[in-house]
Amino acid sequence: MTQQEWPLWEVFIRSKQGLDHKHVGSLHAADAAMAVQNARDVYTRRLEGVSIWVVESKHIHASNPDDAEAFFDPAADKVYRHPTFYEVPDSIKHM
Amino acid sequence: METSEQVLSPEEQFQARIDADIRIEPKDWMPDAYRKTLIRQISQHAHSELVGMLPEGNWITRAPSLKRKSILLAKVQDEAGHGLYLYSAAETLGTTRDQMLADLHSGKAKYSSIFNYPTLSWADMGCVGWLVDGAAILNQVPLCRTSYGPYARAMVRVCKEESFHQRQGFEIMQTLCEGAPEQKAMAQEALNRWWWPTLMMFGPKDADSPNTEQSMKWRIKRFTNDELRQKFVDMMVPQAEFLGLTVPDEKVKWNEERQAYDFGEVNWDEFWAVVKGNGLCNHERLQARVSAHDEGAWVREAALAHAAKRAAKEAVAA
């Protein structure tokens, strides 16, 4: 017998209608149906969700932490993208 | 001016992030020893949740009412969930579920010694919830701010669920203490047996805990063993008094100057004996774990076979 682990799945839960699915953790399951079932048992025992997504972990592609500076820092010096960069005269309303 | 970052070694950069309270995430660079320490601690923690189901499982069929049985079932199910959150957190460090379970089953990995004590009466379910989970919460709340992100996030979920465990335990104790004299005696007898082992849950004295200093520096731990033990005593003595029970330690006494309770010395010989495998239930607990795992092997295999068969069918249909 070859020892083989069930694949790893990432679990995303929508906590209530109108909100995004949010990553809550992971679990092992033989297939997608079992992953949804297990996610329900593990992550929604206290009404934490109204909808579940599962994605097999191997399908997730992530940015590399070593590239974080090159990737994200350019956004740091572009303050003009934020509304607070602009001065609005006190007399101007509704802006 | 040259940025100082260029001359910092990876270890120094890592420590600087820790000192700035920036969480470490799975793909970030980390010292090997940090990774190893976390795998050891998180998997040990996960094993404790798993083995912790066994002493309580003993009482599911014996719970005195349907309400108590439902509560106990829910609690045991929570422990399984906590184990899963923690195994998942450990897996992000590069170990596998199979490897962790193999280490537990071979005796290489440890779990909390508290579960090597037997649960002899219904009042033990009260003590496990009130004292053991109370001690666990004190250990776990600071871990919600531990430096490794996945561990901290797992602990946030665990802590949210754990406070129900402690309260249901206290309620069992309170019910017994307000009941017949025999029931109250049962509660006292259970407290007598669980008090000292619970104090041992915080681990050896600081002077005998060589890993503490490094773990504090890495902000894996936020308080020392002795600090947490003191907090626990300060929290529990008044609760025992409320119940009308006596903590089995003659040295327990309020110290006005320290604004804390003085208390006696834990029997460290017993502590080390249980850690080394010579507690009352070490053999039984491990045996139960190994049997459950071995006897469930066909289920794991069948589920994989079923998934493969269905995937093949869907591929043909597509």
Side-chain angles (χ1 to χ4, degrees):
Chain A
M1 187 200 88
T2 54
Q3 187 72 20
Q4 201 190 348
E5 277 194 351
W6 288 349
L8 188 66
W9 301 75
E10 301 301 322
V11 180
F12 301 80
I13 304 271
R14 185 200 296 287
S15 57
K16 65 178 197 181
Q17 293 294 110
L19 295 183
D20 293 330
H21 285 77
K22 190 170 166 245
H23 184 245
V24 293
S26 54
L27 49 76
H28 288 272
D31 59 20
M34 187 196 278
V36 171
Q37 183 68 47
N38 288 356
R40 173 227 181 233
D41 289 344
V42 177
Y43 291 107
T44 66
R45 288 198 303 277
R46 290 177 174 78
L47 297 172
E48 289 95 338
V50 294
S51 166
I52 297 171
W53 288 351
V54 294
V55 181
E56 208 177 329
S57 307
K58 69 178 183 191
H59 295 310
I60 292 189
H61 301 268
S63 61
N64 185 340
D66 295 340
D67 300 336
E69 277 177 38
F71 224 55
F72 301 111
D73 284 3
D77 60 3
K78 296 179 180 61
V79 284
Y80 47 83
R81 286 186 192 266
H82 298 276
T84 46
F85 179 72
Y86 302 92
E87 270 191 36
V88 179
D90 287 346
S91 58
I92 297 295
K93 303 293 177 198
H94 309 299
M95 187 180 280
Chain B
M1 194 185 79
E2 286 290 308
T3 57
S4 57
E5 206 161 292
Q6 283 166 328
V7 293
L8 289 180
S9 69
E11 281 85 358
E12 287 166 329
Q13 283 184 41
F14 175 82
Q15 189 60 48
R17 296 183 71 182
I18 298 271
D19 293 342
D21 255 338
I22 296 171
R23 295 284 187 274
I24 307 302
E25 295 294 344
K27 288 184 158 187
D28 295 341
W29 186 89
M30 61 186 85
D32 274 348
Y34 178 82
R35 186 185 300 276
K36 275 187 194 141
T37 300
L38 276 172
I39 290 177
R40 182 176 50 81
Q41 180 173 332
I42 301 173
S43 64
Q44 192 169 313
H45 196 158
H47 298 330
S48 301
E49 299 284 353
L50 216 61
V51 177
M53 291 192 281
L54 299 171
E56 294 181 313
N58 186 37
W59 282 92
I60 288 174
T61 53
R62 299 175 172 89
S65 69
L66 185 58
K67 176 187 139 189
R68 294 290 183 204
K69 192 194 290 273
S70 306
I71 292 172
L72 194 54
L73 270 171
K75 179 174 191 288
V76 171
Q77 194 189 15
D78 275 354
E79 316 289 7
H82 297 175
L84 181 130
Y85 306 152
L86 289 160
Y87 282 127
S88 296
E91 282 171 272
T92 64
L93 290 158
T95 184
T96 66
R97 188 78 59 94
D98 280 349
Q99 183 60 52
M100 287 185 275
L101 288 179
D103 288 346
L104 170 65
H105 296 159
S106 72
K108 185 182 163 206
K110 301 284 179 220
Y111 54 87
S112 178
S113 281
I114 194 76
F115 302 118
N116 290 319
Y117 289 83
T119 45
L120 303 176
S121 80
W122 173 249
D124 288 21
M125 291 301 94
C127 279
V128 167
W130 171 46
L131 294 176
V132 175
D133 291 327
I137 289 171
L138 269 185
N139 266 324
Q140 288 167 352
V141 167
L143 288 174
C144 296
R145 294 185 297 123
T146 196
S147 58
Y148 187 58
Y151 190 21
R153 292 192 286 275
M155 291 319 301
V156 168
R157 268 196 301 277
V158 170
C159 286
K160 267 189 201 161
E161 302 184 352
E162 201 77 50
S163 66
F164 133 62
H165 296 184
Q166 193 192 14
R167 286 183 184 201
Q168 67 85 38
F170 185 79
E171 194 196 66
I172 292 174
M173 295 303 278
Q174 200 182 350
T175 306
L176 290 172
C177 290
E178 289 168 358
E182 291 84 353
Q183 287 175 301
K184 187 159 185 188
M186 189 196 270
Q188 180 65 55
E189 192 272 337
L191 173 58
N192 292 349
R193 278 183 291 110
W194 287 96
W195 177 255
W196 289 107
T198 310
L199 290 192
M200 296 177 197
M201 284 175 68
F202 298 97
K205 288 163 79 89
D206 291 349
D208 302 320
S209 177
N211 298 328
T212 292
E213 195 190 339
Q214 182 62 69
S215 285
M216 300 275 285
K217 198 174 161 219
W218 279 332
R219 299 200 182 171
I220 295 174
K221 277 175 93 154
R222 299 260 177 177
F223 297 97
T224 71
N225 298 351
D226 286 337
E227 284 169 347
L228 290 170
R229 197 168 4 250
Q230 178 71 58
K231 273 191 190 198
F232 179 77
V233 172
D234 292 344
M235 197 170 92
M236 285 301 168
V237 170
Q239 292 183 13
E241 279 169 9
F242 175 91
L243 292 170
L245 298 175
T246 311
V247 166
D249 177 0
E250 288 171 358
K251 296 207 171 116
V252 163
K253 198 175 163 226
W254 178 252
N255 184 325
E256 190 58 35
E257 200 178 316
R258 289 201 306 126
Q259 287 293 300
Y261 283 93
D262 292 335
F263 57 100
E265 189 71 24
V266 168
N267 180 347
W268 295 110
D269 292 339
E270 177 182 325
F271 172 81
W272 290 113
V274 182
V275 168
K276 286 180 180 134
N278 300 316
L280 285 167
C281 300
N282 292 59
H283 181 74
E284 184 188 330
R285 299 289 185 238
L286 208 52
Q287 205 50 53
R289 262 311 308 157
V290 172
S291 308
H293 189 73
D294 290 350
E295 286 163 20
W298 71 271
V299 179
R300 296 191 294 277
E301 286 163 26
L304 272 182
H306 176 70
K309 202 165 137 187
R310 201 152 72 172
K313 236 185 226 172
E314 275 165 19
V316 171

